[in-house]
Amino acid sequence: MTVHSIDGEVWKTKLERIEKLAKEDKETVFNNLGYLITEESMKDTYRRMDGSKATGIDGITKEKYGRKLEGNIKSLIERIRRGSYHPKAARITEIPKEDGSTRPLTISCFEDKLVQEEVNKILTAIYEPMFLPCSYGFRENHSCHEALRILMKEVNRRKDGAVVEIDIRKCFNRIPHKPLREMLAKKISDKGFLELVEELIKTPIIEDGKEKINREGCLQGSIISPILANIYLHYVIDEWFEELKKTYFQGKNVMVRYADDMVFIFENYEEAKRFYAVLPKRLSKYGLEMNNEKSQLVRSGEMVAINAEEKQERIGTYKFLGFQCYWGKSQDGRWRLKYKSRADRFRTTLGRLKEFLRKNLNTGKSGIILERTVLKVKGWLNYHAISDNERRVKSFLFESRRIIYSWYNRRGKKNAMTWEHLQEILDRVGFPKIFKTVSMFC
């Protein structure tokens, strides 16, 4: 069934209608989507956008764009309707990773972010009802903590099973455009809208001072990249795995995926082994590559842990969403899955905190710098303060205070600051003394 948008409806109602139809019939194909992008919707998106984000190559901020908002939006919509809209080149910032490499982060111009946000809303309305429960990445009400809860629940259910941890090498940057276009065309028949999406995917980037069209991958940092990656991996991984469960597997197997971070939980080790062998071929078929160094198959379950203890061996661990997943004993002496913050990321975060303070050693704005530091600490705490991770969290708070203490005493003061005086200052800026642990039990 093909659905056309209805003129006369306000844009929010149109978007809600699209989502309702997508929920009711997953075979629905949508047309005439470009007319969902209106002056009203653009203005609403403009108001919601964060004006503090980094600017693109044109230097236009939200505030500056808003000085002539009416004229700018009218001009933008006219270009989109005529098919003459082309995004400006995006600049690339290299973000350091835990392994010493870097991740290229795209910074688009404000107007292009505005278009990306509009397209993102439409794609989300169409595809959100289609995504499977195993997909948690960048979806409303599908948080990292919820993915961790489900993983713990499913792993603990399987007494003598296996876990497959998968890492896709530079997933976002390697998604090929042709199969992505074909996947989008399964649900969208509006050629103008598809061309707009393709323009955004192919946003030029500045590389070595020259402008270069993006011919492969979805640029990380782009607003539409998460939804496009989810659409691609939905077809490549999620639906395929569901089909395998029905036709090839006998055990009750599940997967938990957060964007390109994924774990497969198997009831039977041999089935996990067969899956692990065939997965690289599946990924290769769609232009993706499994990172063998960061992917693995490990035995998992209470019986596996008991047997390993009897043999004085260690059961294999794996990584998911910044945590090390390992087997340990609960208070009643039973084996179960536990989480702790990854040691490499723990050290990297503290190193960045130290570097941030070092760079601001002589700015003369110690109060502001300290407040920003506290925000960074609280942000880490909000994510990592989960069940079984209390020791790592306490260590992080202690090390953070120690780094701040060293920072104060390196600022050239005659009298060194005492721990007691530092604590008084930290109390004033709200440095956390205690924390609330988020339960990982469903």
Side-chain angles (χ1 to χ4, degrees), residues 315-318 324-328 336-340 388:
I315 186 171
T317 66
Y318 49 95
Q324 192 82 21
C325 309
Y326 68 100
W327 281 84
R336 64 171 176 83
L337 185 71
K338 292 187 174 185
Y339 298 125
K340 65 179 176 181
D388 304 313

Side-chain angles (χ1 to χ4, degrees), residues 370-383:
L370 192 57
E371 287 175 0
R372 290 178 183 174
T373 302
V374 170
L375 287 176
K376 292 175 185 290
V377 171
K378 286 182 176 179
W380 189 94
L381 200 65
N382 290 339
Y383 182 68

Side-chain angles (χ1 to χ4, degrees), residues 83-348:
S84 60
Y85 162 78
H86 304 290
K88 297 183 179 71
R91 60 187 177 91
I92 302 293
T93 299
E94 296 292 339
I95 305 298
K97 295 173 66 175
E98 289 76 16
D99 59 5
S101 63
T102 59
R103 176 185 291 111
L105 185 69
T106 304
I107 300 175
S108 300
C109 295
F110 181 81
E111 185 173 76
D112 298 325
K113 291 178 184 176
L114 196 59
V115 178
Q116 290 170 19
E117 190 61 61
E118 286 289 291
V119 171
N120 181 62
K121 287 192 292 188
I122 296 170
L123 290 175
T124 299
I126 293 171
Y127 285 97
E128 177 60 32
M130 195 175 86
F131 291 148
L132 300 179
C134 62
S135 173
Y136 288 85
F138 309 106
R139 297 177 62 194
E140 191 174 351
N141 300 321
H142 289 70
S143 67
C144 292
H145 284 167
E146 189 60 30
L148 289 164
R149 287 191 191 99
I150 294 299
L151 175 61
M152 177 177 284
K153 175 184 174 182
E154 295 296 341
V155 166
N156 287 337
R157 279 180 171 179
R158 287 150 183 81
K159 304 299 181 184
D160 188 11
V163 165
V164 173
E165 175 196 3
I166 296 299
D167 182 85
I168 301 176
R169 197 184 298 276
K170 297 182 179 179
C171 179
F172 276 70
N173 297 334
R174 292 191 175 182
I175 292 176
H177 293 174
K178 183 179 178 182
L180 177 58
R181 286 195 301 267
E182 292 170 353
M183 291 172 186
L184 291 169
K186 291 180 179 181
K187 294 289 293 179
I188 301 169
S189 60
D190 184 335
K191 291 183 179 180
F193 184 77
L194 288 174
E195 288 173 359
L196 176 59
V197 175
E198 185 161 1
E199 282 290 330
L200 294 175
I201 294 172
K202 293 165 62 178
T203 295
I205 57 174
I206 302 297
E207 195 172 82
D208 298 325
K210 296 180 181 179
E211 191 172 309
K212 174 185 173 184
I213 293 177
N214 178 46
R215 306 234 177 241
E216 182 182 50
C218 299
L219 299 172
Q220 286 187 274
S222 168
I223 294 169
I224 64 165
S225 288
I227 183 71
L228 292 174
N230 265 341
I231 292 168
Y232 198 74
L233 293 174
H234 169 81
Y235 286 109
V236 175
I237 299 292
D238 302 358
E239 282 196 338
W240 175 66
F241 188 70
E242 284 298 308
E243 187 61 29
L244 289 179
K245 284 163 58 176
K246 296 175 185 176
T247 56
Y248 291 98
F249 300 147
Q250 293 182 348
K252 295 180 180 179
N253 310 320
V254 299
M255 69 172 289
V256 182
R257 180 176 68 79
Y258 194 98
D260 59 338
D261 200 352
M262 61 192 81
V263 175
F264 301 83
I265 306 110
F266 284 83
E267 200 169 44
N268 180 279
Y269 179 80
E270 292 302 320
E271 287 188 343
K273 192 175 179 181
R274 293 204 306 271
F275 173 76
Y276 190 60
V278 76
L279 182 57
K281 298 175 185 176
R282 174 71 180 182
L283 294 173
S284 178
K285 180 180 177 181
Y286 289 91
L288 301 176
E289 180 186 358
M290 189 168 85
N291 187 341
N292 293 319
E293 295 175 359
K294 296 183 179 180
S295 302
Q296 61 174 330
L297 164 63
V298 297
R299 293 187 180 275
S300 174
E302 186 179 6
M303 293 306 300
V304 178
I306 291 171
N307 291 335
E309 183 184 34
E310 290 174 353
K311 296 177 183 179
Q312 295 185 334
E313 297 174 350
R314 287 191 175 186
I315 186 171
T317 66
Y318 49 95
K319 302 177 182 67
F320 186 60
L321 294 178
F323 290 94
Q324 192 82 21
C325 309
Y326 68 100
W327 281 84
K329 286 186 177 180
S330 60
Q331 291 182 350
D332 61 4
R334 297 186 63 180
W335 287 94
R336 64 171 176 83
L337 185 71
K338 292 187 174 185
Y339 298 125
K340 65 179 176 181
S341 300
R342 285 175 51 176
D344 56 345
R345 295 192 177 184
F346 180 85
R347 290 191 297 269
T348 299

Side-chain angles (χ1 to χ4, degrees), residues 396-407:
F396 182 81
L397 290 177
F398 173 78
E399 292 297 332
S400 298
R401 282 195 295 268
R402 189 179 62 80
I403 289 170
I404 296 170
Y405 177 75
S406 299
W407 177 68

Side-chain angles (χ1 to χ4, degrees), residues 42-92:
M42 281 282 193
K43 289 176 184 176
D44 182 77
T45 298
Y46 170 83
R47 287 190 290 268
R48 294 171 184 270
M49 290 182 70
D50 187 352
S52 64
K53 297 291 185 180
T55 59
I57 60 171
D58 61 0
I60 301 295
T61 62
K62 176 182 178 179
E63 189 272 333
K64 190 172 182 180
Y65 191 85
R67 292 174 192 167
K68 298 180 180 179
L69 187 62
E70 292 279 348
N72 286 334
I73 286 179
K74 282 183 180 180
S75 171
L76 177 57
I77 290 177
E78 285 175 6
R79 282 179 279 139
I80 290 173
R81 297 272 166 83
R82 290 198 310 264
S84 60
Y85 162 78
H86 304 290
K88 297 183 179 71
R91 60 187 177 91
I92 302 293

